[in-house]
Amino acid sequence: MTRHLSSAEISKWIAGERNRRSEDHLSECAECRGELAHFQGRLSDFRAVVRAWSQEQSAAAPLPAWRMGRTHSSPRLRWALIAAAMVVLAAIPIYRASQPRPSSDHSLDDTVLLEQIDDGVSRSVPAPMEPLTTLVSWGSGAQDAPSQQKKK
Amino acid sequence: MEPVAASGFLTARFDSPAIELDDFDSVVRRYWPAVFRFALASVRDRDAARTLTQDCFIHAWRARGSFRGSCAVKTWVMRIAVNVVRDHARNRRLRFWRRTTREALDISSAGVQLPDGGISAEQRMLVSEKVRAVWAASGSLPERQRAVFLLRFVEDMDLLDIAAATGLKEGTVKIHLFRALQSVRERLGETK
């Protein structure tokens, strides 16, 4: 019987790097076969546990609505939306420029109205009370001057 | 386009892998567990694994038009998954979060899921301990070795499929696998 397989040779065998010597030795050496089977058993246990654990974790985090993600992140749709937004932004000044300007009659009306308001605000008394103001200033008006001179 | 017969992944169910992609919802349902498992075992964070799995299928959806059927759909999907996980690992912005969350999720809670097989409680504990050691060892492997190790020993993919999924040559896959196995065996104290 040839010498036992080294640790590296066993790892190579499991990794798929097999040669004639290893094959021949394994066919006649129960000890090396046992060692190989033992490690392969460890890997099988590892696989079983990781799969079970992953399934458990997957159940806690179920399959999300991935369709939503793919729809929203579609580059074509994104570019189309950007292009549409740019067209709308570019159209706003053009639309405004194409609108007819307000006529001069309207501005004249506005001016007249503003003047009326200014007059109203600048009055010391309301218009209906204006005759009373002339009565109040009777004694101090220019018409009293001759009578005052007579008294003197 | 003929599928690669040697890859052997589920090709028996579909005459052409490209046809399988026509019903993309069923592709998602079929391969979601494998992609999620691979992502989870790689990043060891459930939320990140879920996000990466979703990213993987979004990438696959966008790239489905370029799939020519030169390999099985699972191999193609796993290739995308490998790239998505690799990009995640290289993303420096997430490094801090990866460090903090990695400690939060451990496989030890799954020890109870071991197949019974009439083993005693003592043996079960021993096996759980060994599984935890393999888990810890695989977590400390370099990124590419870990990917190859998980694809081979968790996803049960053959070397040609792993080569297609990782974009490596078959010989390189064997080298990565050998190094990963040596590291794991050293961790288990099974090296001579």
Side-chain angles (χ1 to χ4, degrees), chain A residues 91-101:
Chain A
I92 288 171
I94 296 168
Y95 173 76
R96 282 188 177 169
S98 67
Q99 288 297 304
R101 294 190 175 195

Side-chain angles (χ1 to χ4, degrees), chain A residues 5 7-8 11 17 35 38-39 45 47 49 51-54 56-57 60-61 64 66-67 70 73, chain B residues 24-25 32 37 46 50 54 61-62 110 113-114 127 130 153-154 174 178 181-182 185 190-192:
Chain A
L5 295 182
S7 173
S11 293
E17 191 70 65
E35 193 179 335
H38 174 78
F39 187 58
D45 290 340
R47 177 184 301 138
V49 170
R51 284 182 172 234
W53 181 64
S54 168
E56 191 184 289
Q57 297 295 320
W66 75 278
R67 276 171 177 279
R70 82 181 179 195
S73 57
Chain B
F24 202 79
D25 285 342
W32 183 276
R37 194 164 50 227
R46 189 179 64 197
R50 191 167 176 252
Q54 187 160 2
W61 166 258
R62 288 179 188 159
Q113 300 286 346
L114 276 169
V127 170
K130 292 286 184 186
F153 297 114
V154 175
K174 284 181 186 173
F178 165 72
L181 284 166
Q182 281 292 90
R185 294 192 76 208
E190 292 186 1
T191 49
K192 292 176 193 170

Side-chain angles (χ1 to χ4, degrees), chain A residues 26-79:
Chain A
L26 283 169
S27 66
E28 58 189 21
C29 178
E31 195 182 330
C32 286
R33 263 202 317 275
E35 193 179 335
L36 188 66
H38 174 78
F39 187 58
Q40 284 175 327
R42 293 276 172 257
L43 293 171
S44 292
D45 290 340
F46 176 69
R47 177 184 301 138
V49 170
V50 171
R51 284 182 172 234
W53 181 64
S54 168
Q55 204 170 353
E56 191 184 289
Q57 297 295 320
S58 184
L63 196 146
W66 75 278
R67 276 171 177 279
M68 204 166 69
R70 82 181 179 195
T71 310
H72 285 187
S73 57
S74 164
R76 281 185 187 172
L77 182 66
R78 203 163 47 227
W79 281 113

Side-chain angles (χ1 to χ4, degrees), chain B residues 24 40 52 57 86-87 93 97 116 125 133 142 145 175:
Chain B
F24 202 79
L40 185 66
L52 291 175
F57 283 104
R86 186 195 58 208
D87 291 348
R93 284 175 298 173
W97 294 108
D116 198 353
M125 218 165 77
Q145 282 182 31
I175 291 167

